[in-house]
Amino acid sequence: MIKNKNNRAIWNTRITKSTSNLFQKVGGSLYVDKKLYKEDIAGSIVHVEMLFKQKIISFKIKNKIIYGLNKIEKEISKNKFQFNKNFEDIHMSIEKRLVDLIGSDAGYIHTARSRNDQVITDFKIWIKKSSNEINDNLHKIIKSSLKIAEKNIKTIMPGFTHLKNAQPVSFAHYLMSYVEMFMRDKRRFNNNLVNLNENPLGVSALTGTSFNIDRNYTTKKLGFKNPTNNSIDTVSDRDFVLDYLYSCSVCSMHISRISEELIIWNSDAFNLIKLSDKIVTGSSIMPQKKNPDSLEYLRGKTGSIYGSLFSMLTILKGLPISYFKDLQDDKELVFKSTETLINCLKLLNEVLNNISPNKKRMLELANMGYTTATDLADYLVKNHSMSFREAYQKTAAIVNLAEKKKKKLNELTIDELKKVETKLTNEVLRVFDLKNSVNSKKSYGGTAFENIKKMIIKYKKQI
Ligand code: ARG
């Protein structure tokens, strides 16, 4: 706590006993929220400029305060600032240091504001910056994915549903599905800006202030779009924290899904992709092992990011409005999730640049499990005027035949096929060609080579 002349905390003039040591130790947030020092100082500078413009403080005091704040910023960034846990949080620590530097005129800084609006102003600015950093990293992943996709448009692999071979698909199409997810993640973080761009500064403790402040001025100077509309809601609101943690959670869930996919494809049973030695680890006992630990790390981290979202939802549940100490934990949750997510995004980008498809095995597996059966059914509908249901049954009979003869669909002869459907001619055999199958899915969003090429070009232009 900031001590005044009588060695009491600033807010402690009516509290006669000194705060419990234990509570001081666990209740402070300085070592967490010192991350906000830049935003706090920027907010304070704009605040005092506004106070001067509104003739609430003098030119001299404004300049003195700004001089002190700039000095403090330098001290902190050069690691010359003495952090002291007794000063509760970053806001109090900076104000305390300002008193040391410029004396009692520092006391004017807190005119017409409270820590309640101060802390969310800092926090919103911080979250906006971090959202940009996350989006920069998403951008890199999208770029890497496009690069690999571009090289693999004609790499054919089995597409799975229920993890059973379903239909042949281009490896690039799979990668592009993750591009869609990561693009949506970027958009999600951007959409959050609407609420993040409402400026809390000036609502004071909960009711607003009787000083003639100019909230539009601080809004503009601090890069917000408009001031918040209701002072009580403003100090209570942590929806923007939930939006952010939710966005982190969804993004991390996407990372976890691609990781799991790659783990499965890298397994000895599937053997569809190879991981370079840069991203695998060995076993302490089994000398032959190359384990996909990096991917497991990515899959696992989703758990702790979800944890932050659930913690915040739980903290807010049933909390009456306005400010309560409960809210202080929001920063630790956001900082931890941000750090974890950014590490994961960076690592995923490295992983993507260190995988290679096992093209031979992909093709081989794509031809197992009668994956062109749907193509045959479609062919019957188009060429032999059958309803899809009738064609489905004929095709099922052909699959049964192939199973009985222990053949793949493309190994059946025309005579064998004719036993099920007399109308068939040699022409039907082309539907069992995997490349034809993939390339026939020309409907918008389908896996045809031309479609994928167009999508890659479109996204390359966009990013
Ligand atoms: N460290 C506090 C927090 O992060 C700052 C707000 C303090 N406000 C108050 N009324 N005690 O939540």
Side-chain angles (χ1 to χ4, degrees):
M1 266 111 267
I2 299 183
K3 315 276 171 152
N4 61 17
K5 277 197 194 116
N6 306 323
N7 210 23
R8 290 211 188 111
I10 277 186
W11 44 255
N12 214 359
T13 8
R14 272 179 25 82
I15 297 174
T16 50
K17 290 196 174 131
S18 58
T19 313
S20 131
N21 278 340
L22 177 61
F23 181 60
Q24 207 167 25
K25 189 166 155 230
V26 299
S29 59
L30 178 62
Y31 291 103
V32 173
D33 59 31
K34 66 180 190 178
K35 252 192 168 53
L36 293 175
Y37 81 93
K38 274 200 171 130
E39 292 74 13
D40 197 70
I41 289 172
S44 291
I45 290 178
V46 169
H47 179 66
V48 292
E49 278 171 344
M50 182 277 292
L51 292 178
F52 162 68
K53 183 183 88 67
Q54 296 301 98
K55 304 193 171 52
I56 298 167
I57 61 170
S58 72
F59 182 70
K60 200 173 134 222
I61 288 176
K62 174 204 71 156
N63 282 351
K64 248 175 127 175
I65 293 176
I66 292 178
Y67 157 83
L69 288 171
N70 282 328
K71 204 161 175 204
I72 294 170
E73 172 158 11
K74 276 200 198 98
E75 286 176 358
I76 302 180
S77 50
K78 287 188 176 146
N79 279 331
K80 288 194 176 130
F81 189 91
Q82 295 271 318
F83 286 103
N84 182 340
K85 68 171 171 22
N86 294 340
F87 301 132
E88 201 178 337
D89 57 26
I90 188 65
H91 324 291
M92 290 313 222
S93 301
I94 289 176
E95 197 178 325
K96 160 74 174 66
R97 180 70 186 135
L98 194 64
V99 178
D100 293 346
L101 287 173
I102 67 166
S104 62
D105 282 346
Y108 284 93
I109 195 177
H110 217 51
T111 318
R113 80 168 183 192
S114 144
R115 267 187 301 162
N116 296 354
D117 54 345
Q118 189 181 351
V119 67
I120 18 177
T121 304
D122 299 356
F123 203 24
K124 278 188 164 181
I125 299 174
W126 193 92
I127 290 182
K128 282 207 281 178
K129 276 192 212 154
S130 293
S131 302
N132 281 338
E133 196 182 338
I134 290 171
N135 277 350
D136 287 347
N137 282 290
L138 278 165
H139 183 91
K140 286 185 188 141
I141 290 177
I142 292 169
K143 244 174 123 176
S144 299
S145 308
L146 289 175
K147 212 168 95 193
I148 313 169
E150 207 167 15
K151 286 190 202 139
N152 285 287
I153 296 176
K154 294 199 172 158
T155 305
I156 294 171
M157 64 175 289
F160 305 99
T161 61
H162 310 265
L163 211 53
K164 299 280 284 178
N165 291 14
Q167 296 184 35
V169 74
S170 155
F171 177 45
H173 201 51
Y174 246 119
L175 290 167
M176 293 299 286
S177 75
Y178 282 100
V179 167
E180 292 292 330
M181 293 175 220
F182 293 129
M183 295 287 272
R184 281 202 297 277
D185 289 339
K186 276 182 77 172
R187 229 175 292 143
R188 200 171 292 107
F189 281 107
N190 281 335
N191 290 343
N192 294 341
L193 291 177
V194 177
N195 290 334
L196 285 170
N197 272 331
E198 290 195 333
N199 175 22
L201 194 60
V203 301
S204 277
L206 78 163
T207 55
T209 174
S210 60
F211 288 101
N212 177 29
I213 59 172
D214 182 351
R215 294 191 63 206
N216 289 323
Y217 177 88
T218 56
T219 294
K220 211 166 141 212
K221 288 277 172 176
L222 289 172
F224 290 102
K225 289 254 152 68
N226 45 278
T228 53
N229 295 312
N230 178 293
S231 56
I232 307 185
D233 170 60
T234 303
V235 292
S236 324
D237 173 33
R238 293 296 182 278
D239 293 1
F240 66 93
V241 176
L242 292 177
D243 291 340
Y244 180 76
L245 290 174
Y246 172 72
S247 303
C248 290
S249 298
V250 176
C251 179
S252 154
M253 175 270 289
H254 290 151
I255 296 174
S256 151
R257 288 182 84 171
I258 191 170
S259 301
E260 169 69 357
E261 201 108 70
L262 295 175
I263 290 167
I264 294 172
W265 294 354
N266 177 247
S267 67
D268 294 317
F270 275 73
N271 189 23
L272 292 176
I273 58 155
K274 202 173 150 5
L275 307 181
S276 102
D277 281 359
K278 216 173 152 184
I279 51 164
V280 295
T281 56
S283 151
S284 60
I285 175 172
M286 296 168 282
Q288 84 285 12
K289 291 296 288 293
K290 287 187 178 185
N291 294 326
D293 278 37
S294 48
L295 289 163
E296 290 163 17
Y297 171 92
L298 293 173
R299 183 180 55 188
K301 283 295 167 200
T302 311
S304 52
I305 294 183
Y306 284 7
S308 298
L309 172 64
F310 297 150
S311 301
M312 196 64 221
L313 282 165
T314 312
I315 288 168
L316 290 170
K317 181 192 173 296
L319 193 70
I321 56 172
S322 105
Y323 179 83
F324 291 87
K325 185 79 168 176
D326 313 41
L327 295 171
Q328 180 170 278
D329 274 353
D330 57 0
K331 273 143 328 269
E332 192 169 6
L333 299 170
V334 162
F335 294 158
K336 198 173 135 238
S337 293
T338 304
E339 193 187 341
T340 307
L341 183 63
I342 290 178
N343 282 338
C344 286
L345 289 167
K346 287 187 171 146
L347 183 61
L348 177 62
N349 193 40
E350 263 197 68
V351 167
L352 288 173
N353 288 306
N354 279 283
I355 57 168
S356 45
N358 186 348
K359 295 186 185 179
K360 197 168 149 256
R361 170 71 181 155
M362 280 185 167
L363 193 65
E364 192 179 276
L365 199 64
N367 202 20
M368 282 164 70
Y370 317 103
T371 52
T372 49
T374 317
D375 299 270
L376 175 60
D378 290 350
Y379 174 88
L380 293 173
V381 172
K382 286 188 230 167
N383 296 282
H384 296 286
S385 53
M386 289 182 201
S387 77
F388 184 77
R389 276 291 156 250
E390 193 188 348
Y392 177 101
Q393 274 171 13
K394 284 266 182 261
T395 305
I398 289 172
V399 172
N400 283 342
L401 180 75
E403 199 174 43
K404 211 167 107 196
K405 295 199 172 284
K406 297 197 167 37
K407 285 184 169 184
K408 305 211 168 74
L409 284 177
N410 64 347
E411 289 166 353
L412 290 171
T413 64
I414 185 67
D415 292 334
E416 285 169 329
L417 291 164
K418 276 185 156 181
K419 278 191 197 128
V420 180
E421 175 50 60
T422 51
K423 287 185 249 169
L424 287 173
T425 65
N426 270 332
E427 200 206 23
V428 70
L429 299 175
R430 73 182 159 84
V431 304
F432 301 125
D433 181 273
L434 299 180
K435 214 166 131 191
N436 285 344
S437 163
V438 173
N439 213 18
S440 69
K441 310 291 164 43
K442 291 193 167 52
S443 57
Y444 186 79
T447 184
F449 304 139
E450 232 10 77
N451 283 0
I452 303 175
K453 233 183 257 170
K454 273 189 205 150
M455 277 298 166
I456 295 177
I457 292 170
K458 181 179 143 186
Y459 283 137
K460 272 176 90 176
K461 268 190 206 148
Q462 252 181 50
I463 66 164

